[in-house]
Amino acid sequence: DLERLRATGLNTLKVPVPHFLLEQLPGEPYVGQEDMQAAFSRVVGWSLDLGFRLVIDLHTVPGSANGFDNGGRTGPPNFTQRNASGEMPNVDR
């Protein structure tokens, strides 16, 4: 598919990545981080080999921004939730 895209003249790809590709804290519900990292590395390698420029899109945030499963978790979003000390640990990540 990447070869067909490149053949059309496209030269830039946007690659959405979840925040948990880079970091997972204990107790977070994400699975398959190693598989995601390997798949990401393959896509980057293939794309660069074909001459694409890449835009890496941080597509989720810790704690979820919208509460839907496309953000990595369902339920009330807590990206900007403050802890007892008034800090926002998800923002600080």
Side-chain angles (χ1 to χ4, degrees):
D1 290 340
L2 290 174
E3 290 173 344
R4 289 190 306 183
L5 287 172
R6 191 67 177 111
T8 69
L10 290 174
N11 63 4
T12 305
L13 295 176
K14 179 179 176 182
V15 181
V17 297
H19 73 280
F20 47 89
L21 173 81
L22 306 172
E23 174 190 49
Q24 283 185 334
L25 297 180
E28 290 185 326
Y30 314 115
V31 296
Q33 183 182 27
E34 289 148 10
D35 292 339
M36 285 187 292
Q37 289 173 339
F40 176 74
S41 293
R42 284 192 306 272
V43 167
V44 168
W46 295 332
S47 300
L48 294 177
D49 287 348
L50 291 169
F52 281 106
R53 294 181 179 141
L54 297 177
V55 175
I56 307 302
D57 169 30
L58 183 59
H59 204 65
T60 64
V61 295
S64 182
N66 61 18
F68 299 115
D69 60 357
N70 65 352
R73 62 183 291 278
T74 57
N78 67 5
F79 176 63
T80 59
Q81 185 175 11
R82 295 182 185 275
N83 62 19
S85 302
E87 301 163 326
M88 288 191 261
N90 282 327
V91 173
D92 292 340
R93 285 172 73 181

